[in-house]
Amino acid sequence: MRTTEVVVIGSGFGGLAAAKQLAKSAVPTTLISATAEHLFQPLLYQVATGVLPAAEIAPPIAGILDGKDCIDVIEGRVTALDADAQVLTYRTETGDRQIGYRRLIVAAGAAQGYFGHDEWADRTFSLKTLDDAVGLRAHLLDCFAAPMADTAAHTFVVVGGGATGVEIAGQIRELRTRHFTDVPAEVYLVEGAGDLLPVYGGRLSDFTRKTLEAEGIRVLTDTFVTDIDDDAVTVRGADGAEQTIATRTVVWSAGVQATPLAAVVAEAAKCETDRAGRLLINPDLTVGARADIYAIGDMTSLNGYPGQSPVAMQQGRHAADMIRGKTVTGTAFRYLDKGSMAVVNRHNAVVDAPLGIKLTGLLGWFTWLAVHLFYLVGFRNRFAAVWSWLRAFGGRARPGFDEVTVPARDSGGAADRERTAEREEPARVA
Ligand SMILES: Cc1cc2nc3c(=O)[nH]c(=O)nc-3n(C[C@H](O)[C@H](O)[C@H](O)COP(=O)(O)OP(=O)(O)OC[C@H]3O[C@@H](n4cnc5c(N)ncnc54)[C@H](O)[C@@H]3O)c2cc1C
């Protein structure tokens, strides 16, 4: 069995930041990830709605870490941890393998949560993986190609009025207003709290609601989903009245729970978890009584820090700095909040920055653009994304649809899958 100095689990924001930081001191590191790519999750909704091709938000890890000779990358899913023996078991295409470590950083992220209704997972679309986004994209194209009379196909319900819900609802509506203009599509956005983007509140939430409603989105706040089946979703408003909406598309962006690996780590390191299964880590990011295991990012809970990429990245660097001796072991992690933002629709975003700075509209949108360009990984990806954004937001293209076989509505109304997309200017643009 091989043994290495540090094993990092996960190639998301936290794992990648940790690995890059360890490379600065040439610490021998093995990064094990279930996927061969680094996924830029904040832009999944743009893949789902054709703004960006899939590859632009998922560069291969091997390329990102190219030249960092101290880092080995392994594609595999970690399934077991023996904390006392300092040994991990991971599954690859060719079978189970083991690796020994001296220090471990676990950054396995989060999965979608359904508030105890796990059966809803099969009846809804989520946006956590690239496959999720690509699957939703194909489904949306099918829906827009459905016969005019098929109301359920042309009704889209997004559950969860946080950033992801707002962004995907805004973009689905834009497919209707700018691309498939002859389709009588309706978009509902359902949120349990009294406001959209409840963590922002005030002016930013008001702006978001007004902008989406002005575009024709039906915003239902103080509203909870009570049932979902294959052709309808039932919601209950603040007055207790129930409403059933006929739809074949429910996009679920309402809850999170830790990935299964969190339970494995919790048991091995004797660490408590919260209701979402996230590890209740120590202030210095260690897990339970283990000084050799760190857990970071979305699979953890510490000081109420949000499940956002800057938290995962800063934690990754903090854990790596303790391992490479640049920060004293045991130093408590402090999150530096640089603000949050969400795109409402084309040319409109809201930004909640430090020092009480709040931006809306076009100014917010350009701020969003600059920040996302900065954080997108790799020069080629940045260049390609700028080109796609110019085409999508400056013009009317949906570059992501170019890689899909677009269904066409035939005279009888049934979608056929013969026509390959070639749509710099989509066929049904007004
Ligand atoms: C749709 C969406 C939109 C978002 N928008 C924003 C935003 O606008 N701004 C923002 O700051 N944050 C946003 N976030 C949150 C942000 O993406 C997360 O906070 C961030 O990805 C957390 O990083 P992480 O490293 O903890 O986990 P992740 O980035 O999820 O990475 C987890 C990694 O672990 C791997 N993995 C999982 N299980 C195993 C296993 N058993 N073995 C090996 N590898 C495993 C996965 O393959 C993945 O590589 C968004 C998230 C989503 C889903």
Side-chain angles (χ1 to χ4, degrees):
M1 183 184 65
R2 228 175 97 195
T3 295
T4 184
E5 183 64 29
V6 181
V7 170
V8 175
I9 304 175
S11 61
F13 285 98
L16 203 57
K20 284 180 173 173
Q21 198 76 351
L22 290 165
K24 289 182 180 168
S25 298
V27 180
T29 300
T30 299
L31 185 145
I32 306 177
S33 182
T35 52
E37 301 86 25
H38 164 69
L39 180 60
F40 198 95
Q41 289 177 344
L43 292 175
L44 278 171
Y45 78 96
Q46 295 202 358
V47 171
T49 51
V51 175
L52 292 177
E56 285 171 23
I57 68 160
I61 320 159
I64 298 168
L65 297 176
D66 191 27
K68 301 193 186 324
D69 296 338
C70 62
I71 302 180
D72 276 344
V73 176
I74 295 176
E75 189 178 342
R77 182 171 290 278
V78 175
T79 54
L81 165 63
D82 184 336
D84 292 333
Q86 297 185 308
V87 172
L88 283 173
T89 304
Y90 59 96
R91 185 155 298 157
T92 69
E93 279 186 354
T94 54
D96 284 359
R97 305 261 184 283
Q98 291 197 313
I99 186 167
Y101 62 83
R102 291 197 53 226
R103 250 77 63 88
L104 175 64
I105 301 177
V106 195
Q112 204 75 65
Y114 297 88
F115 305 118
H117 286 277
D118 288 350
E119 72 277 12
W120 289 351
D122 293 335
R123 300 175 203 162
T124 57
F125 291 86
S126 61
L127 272 180
K128 278 286 176 191
T129 66
L130 200 58
D131 285 349
D132 290 342
V134 168
L136 178 56
R137 181 177 67 186
H139 174 79
L140 290 175
L141 287 171
D142 278 345
C143 287
F144 277 104
M148 287 296 183
D150 191 347
T151 314
H154 297 150
T155 302
F156 304 93
V157 178
V158 177
V159 183
T164 302
V166 163
E167 290 174 334
I168 189 78
Q171 281 308 310
I172 294 175
R173 184 66 191 166
E174 244 172 67
L175 287 177
R176 155 72 179 89
T177 53
R178 300 185 76 238
H179 297 269
F180 302 99
T181 50
D182 61 344
V183 179
E186 292 281 5
V187 179
Y188 289 80
L189 180 54
V190 180
E191 165 59 41
D195 266 340
L196 293 181
L197 300 178
V199 294
Y200 295 59
R203 190 162 75 81
L204 299 186
S205 292
D206 291 346
F207 174 86
T208 303
R209 182 181 195 122
K210 279 189 191 126
T211 306
L212 291 180
E213 286 182 337
E215 283 294 307
I217 293 178
R218 297 180 186 225
V219 176
L220 308 178
T221 46
D222 286 316
T223 301
F224 292 89
V225 171
T226 56
D227 194 24
I228 302 175
D229 64 32
D230 289 341
D231 290 307
V233 55
T234 304
V235 298
R236 188 174 55 230
D239 58 1
E242 289 209 327
Q243 178 185 0
T244 296
I245 304 164
T247 178
R248 238 164 271 145
T249 313
V250 179
V251 182
W252 187 267
S253 67
V256 290
Q257 69 186 33
T259 41
L261 190 62
V264 172
V265 175
E267 194 182 335
K270 306 207 173 11
C271 170
E272 298 288 310
T273 56
D274 67 7
R275 279 173 49 192
R278 293 175 301 182
L279 298 162
L280 295 170
I281 52 173
N282 303 315
D284 65 349
L285 310 180
T286 54
V287 181
R290 307 288 324 187
D292 55 345
I293 303 179
Y294 300 88
I296 60 172
D298 280 11
M299 70 184 303
T300 68
S301 173
L302 177 68
N303 299 340
Y305 295 143
Q308 291 188 340
S309 49
V311 176
M313 288 191 284
Q314 290 177 31
Q315 289 183 332
R317 289 186 208 111
H318 186 74
D321 281 347
M322 287 188 287
I323 290 172
R324 68 193 187 106
K326 297 289 177 190
T327 296
V328 176
T329 308
T331 303
F333 169 76
R334 293 264 172 273
Y335 172 50
L336 176 61
D337 185 358
K338 297 181 192 162
S340 312
M341 55 188 66
V343 169
V344 182
N345 59 12
R346 192 173 71 110
H347 301 164
N348 278 309
V350 291
V351 177
D352 191 5
L355 307 174
I357 297 170
K358 295 184 192 303
L359 307 176
T360 57
L362 194 59
L363 190 56
W365 194 79
F366 276 116
T367 308
W368 172 89
L369 195 67
V371 168
H372 281 70
L373 271 181
F374 182 77
Y375 281 107
L376 255 186
V377 174
F379 174 77
R380 203 205 145 272
N381 274 53
R382 286 191 193 119
F383 183 79
V386 167
W387 179 232
S388 296
W389 283 332
L390 270 175
R391 293 172 65 205
F393 298 133
R396 281 170 185 256
R398 288 277 158 162
F401 290 163
D402 294 352
E403 55 189 15
V404 187
T405 299
V406 176
R409 209 182 297 129
D410 69 16
S411 51
D416 75 60
R417 293 192 147 274
E418 297 305 310
R419 189 162 60 87
T420 300
E422 289 171 358
R423 40 179 55 215
E424 182 69 30
E425 295 294 331
R428 277 173 279 132
V429 165

